[in-house]
Amino acid sequence: MPQRILLIEDEARIRAVVQACLEDLGGWEVQLAESGTEGLNLAIQQLFDVILLDISMPDIDGFQIYNTLQATPRTQAVSIILLTAKTLPSDHDRFAQMDVAGIILKPFNPLLLCQQIRDILGWTE
Amino acid sequence: MTQLPNAACKTHRWPQKFPLGLMLVLPWLIQMAGLAGLIGYFSHRAGQRAVERLAVQLMAEMGQRVEQSLEDYLTLSEPIHRLTQTELHDGTLNWGDRPQLEAALVQQLRLFPTLSAITLTLKPGQVLSVERFSTDHYHVYWVDPSQSDAAQWHELEIQGDRRSVFRTSTLPEPTASLHQSSTLLTQAANWRVVPVAQANADQAAVLYRSLLYDATGQVQGAIATFMPLTNIDQFLQTLNLGEEASVFLIDSEGAVLATSAPALPNALTLASQTLSPWSTLRRPSHPPSLAEVAVQQVIAPPSQSTEAQPVTVLWQQQRYLAAVTPLASHIDLPWQIVTLMPEAGLIADIHTNRNHILGLALVKLGLAGAIATLMTRYISRPIRALNQAIQQITHEDYDLSLPDTPIHELSELEQGISQMAQQIQTVFDNAESALRVSQEKFAKIFRMSPGASSITVLDTGRLIEMNQSYCDLLGHEHCYLVGQTTLALGLWPNVETRQRYIAQLREQGSLRQIEMEFRHASGDRRTGLLFAEKIQLWGRDCILSVIHDITDRKQSEAALAQSERRLRLLTDALPVYISYIDTQERYQFVNKIHESQFGLSSAAICGQLVRQVIGESNYAIVREHLQTGLAGHLVQQEITLTDVEHRPRIYSLVLVPDVDERQQVQGVYGLITDISDIKQTEAALRQSQARNLAILSALPDLMLIISKDGVYQDSIRRSAMDVIPAEINPVGRPISDFLEPAQAAQKLSAVQRAIATGQMQVYEQALQVNRQLQYEEVRVVPYSEQAALVILRDITHRKRAEAALSESEERFRFAFDCAGLGMTIVGLDGRFLKVNQALCEIVGYTETELLSMTFLDVTYLDDLDKTLDIDYQLLDGKIRDYQIEKRYVHKRGHVIWVLLSVALVTDADKKPLYFIEQIQDISDRRAIEDIKTEFVSIVSHELRTPITAIQGSIGLLQSGIYAAQPEKTATMLDIATQECDRLVRLVNDILDLERLNSGKVTLQQTRCDVSATLNRAIGAMEAIAHAAQITLEVSATAAYIWADPDTIVQTLTNLLSNAITFSPPGSTIRIAARPVNLFPPVMDASPPIESTPQSLVQPMVQFSIQDQGRGIPSDKLGIIFERFQQVDASDARQQGGTGLGLAICKTIVTQHGGAIWVTSEVGVGSTFYFTIPALCPNESY
């Protein structure tokens, strides 16, 4: 049973690249969400092993999604990894206050992405 | 008499004394009642047992009789069995002849009316059953498996010998008896109780079966007879068991099968209960019937013995005797016969008997009580009379009248008591006369005695008798004193003292010379000597006492002692050695001070020689003076003696000779005073005065003594500061000789005021000394009634320092008030002590408002902790000053960033006084920094996004996993390419914007033809518009602008690109350019006002690009020209936008001196306008 991953990312090409990495290199099952709203709906309706969450999105940003998932009993325990291009110290102060499994910064090495996720979540290959 | 209370105590536990009558009657009655009760009880028990035995016997007999009769009754049908067997055996009846068999069975059923059915079963499964339906109607059932599986039946009516068949039919279901019959051969038991159908009601019957054998002894079939249980009921009723006895049959499970007692309460139900399956009978009904109760009681312990054991059954508050007899015959039915008899019927007589006995016993008891009471009264009357006589004797009434009594013993007792009374009376008469003589003698002696004699009762102290001397001693009348207690008269100070003496008196019998104080009637306290003797009077312990008045003697003794004490106190209190020395030079008296001096008590010194006490060396000095004194001369000398520690001390010695009336010297009074301390003080005073003078001379102050009228009386000169030349002695001259008149008047007035008020006067003056201005502080102190001490101090230096300080403060105030920065002094409690105008402007409060606030009130809440923290560091001395950036809150509520420099001001002891703070408003700088930070953040994010996609796709391609997947490879390459384009565009836009904004690039402005410029831009975008199926419509007037054409084309292409991006296919974009007169742009992104006044307007060319897109929400209109402020970011990115296009347009237009704005309606479309300064066609540069 492959791991099920939800990717919430508004940039179509980044979505495609991440999906390729996770499916073709990791062998995992990836569910894509094009917007915050869609991502939130999927996260609440289905069960995922981990949610890869972009921060900068036009409709609902990653912070709001995180807060909603935390406030929903069904999704409280789901691991969240932030996948973000926000790299300034002020952004990281804000990330530090969030109880997420890990943060992966953009740009990332596509060949190491799967390993990064495994390391964060303690999965074995 | 005195023993009575104790006796009462001992008998206290017993209730009361009993009257004689009761004592005699009560035991008698108790005995009688007890006896009657016992006899009654035992006779009742004996009767009961006899009846029980009888009942058991009766019921056993009844059970046996019933058993016998029942056996006979049940075996009534045995002849049928035997007959049938015999007839079948000898061929009279044929196995195969059904009508013959049927007739035989019907015949037999008619003969035995107690039976309800007879059934014959043959081995091949054939069953023939005849049942009685009513007296003349019979049902015949027939089953023959060889012919048909169904049962057939017909009904017979028999009247006499005529029989007629009514109905013939087949039965869908076998009847109950038929069903039973089918099992006859297989059943083991011969006797059973089975359910049968009878007259449309379910009943139970006793089935008796016997097997039928053929000639060879093989079982051929069976015959069964059914006897309904109701018939057994009727049989039992006929047994005539007696009026109240009843009997019923129960099976091994306790079910009631039949009963003899339809009249018995609830017995009617018994018959119907036999109809039901037995087990249901076990279920108790409510309330349980007698039968149920009886059965429960009877079978509770299964009665195995043949003998009937009666059991008592309680039902509806009536007791029944029940006994069980098993049906012990050859009939193998596990039945038991229960006989039931109400106990009441048997025991009624016993109860009646018991009541009779009880009545008789009560009558007997009443009679016995009456007789006993009469007897008692007869005996107790003379006893009561005797008792009364004895009471009379104790009350000294010897005239007895005793009644005659017929009882011998009592009569003798009466005589004895009469004699005893007479004897007692004689003895009493003799004793009385002897006593009277004795009393008279005693009374005479008592009255004549000169001592104050009295007789008092020992216990109470009450006076019984006293003589006249006693009355005089106390100052009371005789009649007053009799009956008084000595305590009340004040002869004793308190009860305890008297009790002590009484105890002594009891012990010794007498008291001698007890000194006592008492009160005379006049109120004087007096002293007496008491002599007392314990005597017996009238049977009581009394005291005979005599008191001698010794008051006068006591008073003189006390006066002498007091006088001596006073003298002693006086001499002891004096610090003077007072002694009396006799002619032998021995101390006769010394006061207390000697004790501490010589370490001996006064008593020890008295009697010793002077030389022994004061020592040889001192005596050598004193001796001559002592002898002079003893010679009768007064001596007054100062002498030096050594004290016990051998230190020399100076004494004043006075010796006064004591000369008696014969002019003989008796001794000498010595008065020696230690004056060493006085001498020393005098010396010290002299030294001190000299020293004070020296100190005064050393002081820097000029001191003068000036009299009330202004004349110098003395001076300590300080020539350097004195207006009086050093060579002149001012003493005796008026001050006006040396001082200015005004100053002289001021000084004189101060002197006079000081003398008048007694208070120091202080003032300052300035005067020329040695041609220099000198400041002096003048203090005038009252010195005597006539003069004052004037102290002048030079304070010139202080005055100059004060002036310098004041000037410095003024300078600080100026710097503070007029500084461009906010400045404040803040107290240690955080309160603003001083604020300047600049600070007021920064925070928006007035000076008055700020001075009533603390710095906490204006500090932004989030910065509070930070500020307090660092302030405490400052107060603790860890840092000297600090500078931080923090936020204030303006009075209007907005936040202001300030740069705060704080220093702590302390006093010389490093004790903190207040903070000095400098505040610089840095809000603008912070705002710029914030914008910069945000821009960097956005740019960083915007750059990272395409790079992520590029790195991701290329990395995947590089890994080689898509080597065999050309489609995937193409996708990844496409992603990389497109994101590279985006990156390039983004970088270009950023660079353009930066170039334009930095001012490093100057616009290459030339004269441009508007139409040509428009055409260039349209030419660049035409292909894209065509691809998007969008029509471009151009309308331009001939006009020229002064502009950099490339940048204008860039602006137009940017705007066109946006319009195409957001337009639906098939729509039209209208591009226009027209000259307008407008005010120079004053506001960004808002349309300039078209106006006519020529002087203010500038000719412009207004470009417009109108699309039919979805429009822009009104809240976004203001910001879309900012950087990275797309209306919908994701949408723009998908369209390849960088978010910088409009910002670039705005920059270009603004730098040309034009304006750019947009009007839009959501759902209809947007129109972007920009203006560029126009050139007149003939205008040239």
Side-chain angles (χ1 to χ4, degrees), chain A residues 10-11 13 17 20 24 56 85 87-88 106-108 111, chain B residues 937 941 944 948 951-952 959 962 968 978-979 982 1133:
Chain A
D10 62 326
E11 287 279 345
R13 298 192 194 102
V17 169
D24 299 339
S56 304
T87 53
L88 293 189
K106 295 176 187 170
F108 51 84
L111 305 182
Chain B
S937 164
H941 184 263
R944 277 169 184 274
T948 305
Q951 191 183 3
S959 71
Y962 297 138
K968 280 266 186 182
Q978 294 210 28
E979 289 296 322
R982 177 174 163 189
R1133 279 187 212 141

PDB file of all heavy atoms in Angstrom, chain A residues 10-11 13 17 20 24 56 85 87-88 106-108 111, chain B residues 937 941 944 948 951-952 959 962 968 978-979 982 1133:
ATOM      1  N   ASP A  10      -0.425  26.072  -5.836  1.00  0.00           N
ATOM      2  CA  ASP A  10      -1.173  26.767  -6.885  1.00  0.00           C
ATOM      3  C   ASP A  10      -0.403  26.864  -8.197  1.00  0.00           C
ATOM      4  O   ASP A  10      -0.987  27.087  -9.242  1.00  0.00           O
ATOM      5  CB  ASP A  10      -1.595  28.167  -6.391  1.00  0.00           C
ATOM      6  CG  ASP A  10      -0.391  29.026  -6.077  1.00  0.00           C
ATOM      7  OD1 ASP A  10       0.618  28.447  -5.612  1.00  0.00           O
ATOM      8  OD2 ASP A  10      -0.441  30.248  -6.281  1.00  0.00           O
ATOM      9  N   GLU A  11       0.912  26.696  -8.153  1.00  0.00           N
ATOM     10  CA  GLU A  11       1.712  26.774  -9.378  1.00  0.00           C
ATOM     11  C   GLU A  11       1.648  25.433 -10.112  1.00  0.00           C
ATOM     12  O   GLU A  11       2.148  24.419  -9.629  1.00  0.00           O
ATOM     13  CB  GLU A  11       3.172  27.093  -9.032  1.00  0.00           C
ATOM     14  CG  GLU A  11       3.399  28.516  -8.584  1.00  0.00           C
ATOM     15  CD  GLU A  11       3.493  29.481  -9.746  1.00  0.00           C
ATOM     16  OE1 GLU A  11       3.660  29.014 -10.894  1.00  0.00           O
ATOM     17  OE2 GLU A  11       3.396  30.707  -9.512  1.00  0.00           O
ATOM     18  N   ARG A  13       3.124  24.157 -12.713  1.00  0.00           N
ATOM     19  CA  ARG A  13       4.341  23.437 -13.122  1.00  0.00           C
ATOM     20  C   ARG A  13       5.067  22.862 -11.921  1.00  0.00           C
ATOM     21  O   ARG A  13       5.631  21.780 -11.981  1.00  0.00           O
ATOM     22  CB  ARG A  13       5.239  24.360 -13.942  1.00  0.00           C
ATOM     23  CG  ARG A  13       4.529  24.820 -15.219  1.00  0.00           C
ATOM     24  CD  ARG A  13       5.417  25.492 -16.198  1.00  0.00           C
ATOM     25  NE  ARG A  13       4.604  26.172 -17.190  1.00  0.00           N
ATOM     26  CZ  ARG A  13       4.380  27.482 -17.206  1.00  0.00           C
ATOM     27  NH1 ARG A  13       4.954  28.263 -16.296  1.00  0.00           N
ATOM     28  NH2 ARG A  13       3.629  28.006 -18.125  1.00  0.00           N
ATOM     29  N   VAL A  17       5.981  18.947 -11.284  1.00  0.00           N
ATOM     30  CA  VAL A  17       7.315  18.460 -10.934  1.00  0.00           C
ATOM     31  C   VAL A  17       7.275  17.660  -9.634  1.00  0.00           C
ATOM     32  O   VAL A  17       7.822  16.558  -9.548  1.00  0.00           O
ATOM     33  CB  VAL A  17       8.294  19.660 -10.824  1.00  0.00           C
ATOM     34  CG1 VAL A  17       9.598  19.197 -10.194  1.00  0.00           C
ATOM     35  CG2 VAL A  17       8.545  20.241 -12.193  1.00  0.00           C
ATOM     36  N   ALA A  20       5.687  14.345 -10.191  1.00  0.00           N
ATOM     37  CA  ALA A  20       6.601  13.418 -10.859  1.00  0.00           C
ATOM     38  C   ALA A  20       7.608  12.847  -9.878  1.00  0.00           C
ATOM     39  O   ALA A  20       7.877  11.647  -9.863  1.00  0.00           O
ATOM     40  CB  ALA A  20       7.310  14.145 -12.005  1.00  0.00           C
ATOM     41  N   ASP A  24       7.088   9.028  -9.445  1.00  0.00           N
ATOM     42  CA  ASP A  24       8.036   8.267 -10.252  1.00  0.00           C
ATOM     43  C   ASP A  24       9.273   7.861  -9.467  1.00  0.00           C
ATOM     44  O   ASP A  24       9.846   6.813  -9.723  1.00  0.00           O
ATOM     45  CB  ASP A  24       8.438   9.084 -11.489  1.00  0.00           C
ATOM     46  CG  ASP A  24       7.199   9.386 -12.342  1.00  0.00           C
ATOM     47  OD1 ASP A  24       6.208   8.647 -12.186  1.00  0.00           O
ATOM     48  OD2 ASP A  24       7.221  10.369 -13.099  1.00  0.00           O
ATOM     49  N   SER A  56       2.231  30.531  -0.060  1.00  0.00           N
ATOM     50  CA  SER A  56       1.682  31.655  -0.823  1.00  0.00           C
ATOM     51  C   SER A  56       0.684  31.166  -1.845  1.00  0.00           C
ATOM     52  O   SER A  56       1.053  30.590  -2.866  1.00  0.00           O
ATOM     53  CB  SER A  56       2.803  32.394  -1.548  1.00  0.00           C
ATOM     54  OG  SER A  56       3.757  32.789  -0.626  1.00  0.00           O
ATOM     55  N   ALA A  85       8.546  28.932  -0.780  1.00  0.00           N
ATOM     56  CA  ALA A  85       9.653  29.757  -1.281  1.00  0.00           C
ATOM     57  C   ALA A  85       9.899  30.931  -0.349  1.00  0.00           C
ATOM     58  O   ALA A  85      10.664  31.823  -0.670  1.00  0.00           O
ATOM     59  CB  ALA A  85       9.323  30.253  -2.685  1.00  0.00           C
ATOM     60  N   THR A  87      11.622  32.568   2.425  1.00  0.00           N
ATOM     61  CA  THR A  87      12.900  32.212   3.047  1.00  0.00           C
ATOM     62  C   THR A  87      13.429  33.299   3.964  1.00  0.00           C
ATOM     63  O   THR A  87      14.520  33.181   4.496  1.00  0.00           O
ATOM     64  CB  THR A  87      13.959  31.955   1.958  1.00  0.00           C
ATOM     65  OG1 THR A  87      13.964  33.096   1.103  1.00  0.00           O
ATOM     66  CG2 THR A  87      13.636  30.733   1.154  1.00  0.00           C
ATOM     67  N   LEU A  88      12.655  34.367   4.140  1.00  0.00           N
ATOM     68  CA  LEU A  88      13.173  35.448   4.993  1.00  0.00           C
ATOM     69  C   LEU A  88      13.070  35.080   6.471  1.00  0.00           C
ATOM     70  O   LEU A  88      12.208  34.294   6.854  1.00  0.00           O
ATOM     71  CB  LEU A  88      12.381  36.734   4.736  1.00  0.00           C
ATOM     72  CG  LEU A  88      12.563  37.359   3.364  1.00  0.00           C
ATOM     73  CD1 LEU A  88      11.915  38.725   3.332  1.00  0.00           C
ATOM     74  CD2 LEU A  88      14.034  37.473   2.989  1.00  0.00           C
ATOM     75  N   LYS A 106      11.825  25.919  -1.263  1.00  0.00           N
ATOM     76  CA  LYS A 106      11.948  25.954  -2.721  1.00  0.00           C
ATOM     77  C   LYS A 106      13.115  26.866  -3.075  1.00  0.00           C
ATOM     78  O   LYS A 106      13.266  27.914  -2.430  1.00  0.00           O
ATOM     79  CB  LYS A 106      10.673  26.515  -3.354  1.00  0.00           C
ATOM     80  CG  LYS A 106       9.430  25.660  -3.150  1.00  0.00           C
ATOM     81  CD  LYS A 106       8.255  26.411  -3.739  1.00  0.00           C
ATOM     82  CE  LYS A 106       6.930  25.756  -3.457  1.00  0.00           C
ATOM     83  NZ  LYS A 106       5.807  26.612  -3.837  1.00  0.00           N
ATOM     84  N   PRO A 107      13.938  26.608  -4.058  1.00  0.00           N
ATOM     85  CA  PRO A 107      13.891  25.379  -4.862  1.00  0.00           C
ATOM     86  C   PRO A 107      14.504  24.204  -4.111  1.00  0.00           C
ATOM     87  O   PRO A 107      15.373  24.409  -3.274  1.00  0.00           O
ATOM     88  CB  PRO A 107      14.736  25.747  -6.091  1.00  0.00           C
ATOM     89  CG  PRO A 107      15.668  26.800  -5.607  1.00  0.00           C
ATOM     90  CD  PRO A 107      14.965  27.536  -4.510  1.00  0.00           C
ATOM     91  N   PHE A 108      14.052  23.022  -4.456  1.00  0.00           N
ATOM     92  CA  PHE A 108      14.570  21.815  -3.798  1.00  0.00           C
ATOM     93  C   PHE A 108      15.201  20.923  -4.853  1.00  0.00           C
ATOM     94  O   PHE A 108      14.927  21.059  -6.057  1.00  0.00           O
ATOM     95  CB  PHE A 108      13.439  21.075  -3.088  1.00  0.00           C
ATOM     96  CG  PHE A 108      12.250  20.821  -3.970  1.00  0.00           C
ATOM     97  CD1 PHE A 108      12.232  19.716  -4.813  1.00  0.00           C
ATOM     98  CD2 PHE A 108      11.172  21.692  -3.978  1.00  0.00           C
ATOM     99  CE1 PHE A 108      11.149  19.494  -5.634  1.00  0.00           C
ATOM    100  CE2 PHE A 108      10.097  21.465  -4.804  1.00  0.00           C
ATOM    101  CZ  PHE A 108      10.078  20.362  -5.640  1.00  0.00           C
ATOM    102  N   LEU A 111      15.795  15.076  -6.823  1.00  0.00           N
ATOM    103  CA  LEU A 111      16.217  13.696  -6.563  1.00  0.00           C
ATOM    104  C   LEU A 111      16.274  13.394  -5.076  1.00  0.00           C
ATOM    105  O   LEU A 111      16.285  12.245  -4.665  1.00  0.00           O
ATOM    106  CB  LEU A 111      17.586  13.439  -7.215  1.00  0.00           C
ATOM    107  CG  LEU A 111      17.629  13.736  -8.711  1.00  0.00           C
ATOM    108  CD1 LEU A 111      19.018  13.403  -9.275  1.00  0.00           C
ATOM    109  CD2 LEU A 111      16.565  12.947  -9.454  1.00  0.00           C
TER     110      LEU A 111
ATOM    111  N   SER B 937      11.271  40.358  -0.030  1.00  0.00           N
ATOM    112  CA  SER B 937      10.582  39.104   0.241  1.00  0.00           C
ATOM    113  C   SER B 937       9.810  38.639  -0.979  1.00  0.00           C
ATOM    114  O   SER B 937       9.887  37.480  -1.381  1.00  0.00           O
ATOM    115  CB  SER B 937       9.637  39.309   1.425  1.00  0.00           C
ATOM    116  OG  SER B 937       8.716  38.271   1.482  1.00  0.00           O
ATOM    117  N   HIS B 941      10.560  35.451  -3.371  1.00  0.00           N
ATOM    118  CA  HIS B 941       9.552  34.413  -3.588  1.00  0.00           C
ATOM    119  C   HIS B 941       9.256  34.233  -5.060  1.00  0.00           C
ATOM    120  O   HIS B 941       9.173  33.109  -5.562  1.00  0.00           O
ATOM    121  CB  HIS B 941       8.285  34.804  -2.812  1.00  0.00           C
ATOM    122  CG  HIS B 941       7.221  33.775  -2.890  1.00  0.00           C
ATOM    123  ND1 HIS B 941       6.181  33.841  -3.779  1.00  0.00           N
ATOM    124  CD2 HIS B 941       7.042  32.625  -2.183  1.00  0.00           C
ATOM    125  CE1 HIS B 941       5.406  32.803  -3.622  1.00  0.00           C
ATOM    126  NE2 HIS B 941       5.902  32.038  -2.651  1.00  0.00           N
ATOM    127  N   ARG B 944      12.110  32.446  -6.741  1.00  0.00           N
ATOM    128  CA  ARG B 944      12.285  31.056  -6.346  1.00  0.00           C
ATOM    129  C   ARG B 944      11.261  30.141  -7.026  1.00  0.00           C
ATOM    130  O   ARG B 944      11.543  28.966  -7.271  1.00  0.00           O
ATOM    131  CB  ARG B 944      12.147  30.911  -4.816  1.00  0.00           C
ATOM    132  CG  ARG B 944      13.418  31.243  -4.098  1.00  0.00           C
ATOM    133  CD  ARG B 944      13.213  31.366  -2.612  1.00  0.00           C
ATOM    134  NE  ARG B 944      14.453  31.784  -1.987  1.00  0.00           N
ATOM    135  CZ  ARG B 944      15.408  30.918  -1.612  1.00  0.00           C
ATOM    136  NH1 ARG B 944      15.253  29.634  -1.790  1.00  0.00           N
ATOM    137  NH2 ARG B 944      16.518  31.376  -1.061  1.00  0.00           N
ATOM    138  N   THR B 948      12.278  26.799  -8.873  1.00  0.00           N
ATOM    139  CA  THR B 948      11.875  25.505  -8.334  1.00  0.00           C
ATOM    140  C   THR B 948      11.422  24.582  -9.449  1.00  0.00           C
ATOM    141  O   THR B 948      11.826  23.416  -9.531  1.00  0.00           O
ATOM    142  CB  THR B 948      10.734  25.710  -7.322  1.00  0.00           C
ATOM    143  OG1 THR B 948      11.157  26.630  -6.355  1.00  0.00           O
ATOM    144  CG2 THR B 948      10.348  24.394  -6.666  1.00  0.00           C
ATOM    145  N   GLN B 951      14.458  23.708 -11.705  1.00  0.00           N
ATOM    146  CA  GLN B 951      15.386  22.748 -11.078  1.00  0.00           C
ATOM    147  C   GLN B 951      14.742  21.376 -10.976  1.00  0.00           C
ATOM    148  O   GLN B 951      15.377  20.346 -11.212  1.00  0.00           O
ATOM    149  CB  GLN B 951      15.766  23.252  -9.667  1.00  0.00           C
ATOM    150  CG  GLN B 951      16.920  22.463  -9.080  1.00  0.00           C
ATOM    151  CD  GLN B 951      17.261  22.907  -7.661  1.00  0.00           C
ATOM    152  OE1 GLN B 951      16.590  23.771  -7.117  1.00  0.00           O
ATOM    153  NE2 GLN B 951      18.297  22.342  -7.096  1.00  0.00           N
ATOM    154  N   GLY B 952      13.437  21.385 -10.644  1.00  0.00           N
ATOM    155  CA  GLY B 952      12.727  20.114 -10.502  1.00  0.00           C
ATOM    156  C   GLY B 952      12.684  19.354 -11.817  1.00  0.00           C
ATOM    157  O   GLY B 952      13.059  18.179 -11.879  1.00  0.00           O
ATOM    158  N   SER B 959      18.127  12.669 -14.047  1.00  0.00           N
ATOM    159  CA  SER B 959      18.241  11.396 -13.319  1.00  0.00           C
ATOM    160  C   SER B 959      18.107  10.213 -14.276  1.00  0.00           C
ATOM    161  O   SER B 959      18.496   9.110 -13.948  1.00  0.00           O
ATOM    162  CB  SER B 959      17.142  11.318 -12.266  1.00  0.00           C
ATOM    163  OG  SER B 959      15.881  11.143 -12.902  1.00  0.00           O
ATOM    164  N   TYR B 962      13.294   9.158 -17.112  1.00  0.00           N
ATOM    165  CA  TYR B 962      12.368   9.292 -18.230  1.00  0.00           C
ATOM    166  C   TYR B 962      13.028   8.966 -19.568  1.00  0.00           C
ATOM    167  O   TYR B 962      12.560   9.381 -20.631  1.00  0.00           O
ATOM    168  CB  TYR B 962      11.793  10.711 -18.272  1.00  0.00           C
ATOM    169  CG  TYR B 962      10.989  11.050 -17.041  1.00  0.00           C
ATOM    170  CD1 TYR B 962      11.087  12.286 -16.427  1.00  0.00           C
ATOM    171  CD2 TYR B 962      10.100  10.102 -16.501  1.00  0.00           C
ATOM    172  CE1 TYR B 962      10.349  12.594 -15.304  1.00  0.00           C
ATOM    173  CE2 TYR B 962       9.373  10.394 -15.377  1.00  0.00           C
ATOM    174  CZ  TYR B 962       9.489  11.626 -14.781  1.00  0.00           C
ATOM    175  OH  TYR B 962       8.770  11.914 -13.669  1.00  0.00           O
ATOM    176  N   LYS B 968       6.971  12.046 -21.206  1.00  0.00           N
ATOM    177  CA  LYS B 968       7.334  12.655 -19.924  1.00  0.00           C
ATOM    178  C   LYS B 968       8.489  13.619 -20.116  1.00  0.00           C
ATOM    179  O   LYS B 968       8.502  14.724 -19.574  1.00  0.00           O
ATOM    180  CB  LYS B 968       7.741  11.557 -18.914  1.00  0.00           C
ATOM    181  CG  LYS B 968       6.553  10.871 -18.275  1.00  0.00           C
ATOM    182  CD  LYS B 968       6.217  11.559 -16.945  1.00  0.00           C
ATOM    183  CE  LYS B 968       5.122  10.774 -16.219  1.00  0.00           C
ATOM    184  NZ  LYS B 968       4.748  11.410 -14.985  1.00  0.00           N
ATOM    185  N   GLN B 978       9.287  26.988 -20.299  1.00  0.00           N
ATOM    186  CA  GLN B 978       8.327  28.048 -19.978  1.00  0.00           C
ATOM    187  C   GLN B 978       8.739  28.805 -18.725  1.00  0.00           C
ATOM    188  O   GLN B 978       8.614  30.022 -18.629  1.00  0.00           O
ATOM    189  CB  GLN B 978       6.936  27.428 -19.781  1.00  0.00           C
ATOM    190  CG  GLN B 978       6.423  26.860 -21.084  1.00  0.00           C
ATOM    191  CD  GLN B 978       4.905  26.915 -21.143  1.00  0.00           C
ATOM    192  OE1 GLN B 978       4.309  27.777 -20.526  1.00  0.00           O
ATOM    193  NE2 GLN B 978       4.323  26.012 -21.909  1.00  0.00           N
ATOM    194  N   GLU B 979       9.223  28.052 -17.730  1.00  0.00           N
ATOM    195  CA  GLU B 979       9.615  28.708 -16.489  1.00  0.00           C
ATOM    196  C   GLU B 979      10.872  29.544 -16.697  1.00  0.00           C
ATOM    197  O   GLU B 979      11.044  30.570 -16.050  1.00  0.00           O
ATOM    198  CB  GLU B 979       9.812  27.683 -15.372  1.00  0.00           C
ATOM    199  CG  GLU B 979       8.509  27.066 -14.881  1.00  0.00           C
ATOM    200  CD  GLU B 979       7.568  28.063 -14.222  1.00  0.00           C
ATOM    201  OE1 GLU B 979       8.048  28.977 -13.505  1.00  0.00           O
ATOM    202  OE2 GLU B 979       6.336  27.952 -14.414  1.00  0.00           O
ATOM    203  N   ARG B 982       9.660  32.732 -18.121  1.00  0.00           N
ATOM    204  CA  ARG B 982       9.064  33.528 -17.061  1.00  0.00           C
ATOM    205  C   ARG B 982      10.155  34.201 -16.221  1.00  0.00           C
ATOM    206  O   ARG B 982      10.055  35.376 -15.868  1.00  0.00           O
ATOM    207  CB  ARG B 982       8.215  32.605 -16.176  1.00  0.00           C
ATOM    208  CG  ARG B 982       7.589  33.305 -14.997  1.00  0.00           C
ATOM    209  CD  ARG B 982       6.670  32.327 -14.302  1.00  0.00           C
ATOM    210  NE  ARG B 982       6.341  32.765 -12.964  1.00  0.00           N
ATOM    211  CZ  ARG B 982       5.711  32.021 -12.090  1.00  0.00           C
ATOM    212  NH1 ARG B 982       5.370  30.775 -12.414  1.00  0.00           N
ATOM    213  NH2 ARG B 982       5.432  32.473 -10.908  1.00  0.00           N
ATOM    214  N   ARG B1133      -0.320  34.501 -13.312  1.00  0.00           N
ATOM    215  CA  ARG B1133       0.850  33.663 -13.522  1.00  0.00           C
ATOM    216  C   ARG B1133       0.599  32.670 -14.642  1.00  0.00           C
ATOM    217  O   ARG B1133       1.452  32.389 -15.457  1.00  0.00           O
ATOM    218  CB  ARG B1133       1.192  32.931 -12.231  1.00  0.00           C
ATOM    219  CG  ARG B1133       1.961  33.817 -11.300  1.00  0.00           C
ATOM    220  CD  ARG B1133       2.438  33.021 -10.112  1.00  0.00           C
ATOM    221  NE  ARG B1133       2.468  33.912  -8.953  1.00  0.00           N
ATOM    222  CZ  ARG B1133       2.119  33.556  -7.769  1.00  0.00           C
ATOM    223  NH1 ARG B1133       1.684  32.336  -7.543  1.00  0.00           N
ATOM    224  NH2 ARG B1133       2.189  34.414  -6.763  1.00  0.00           N
TER     225      ARG B1133
END
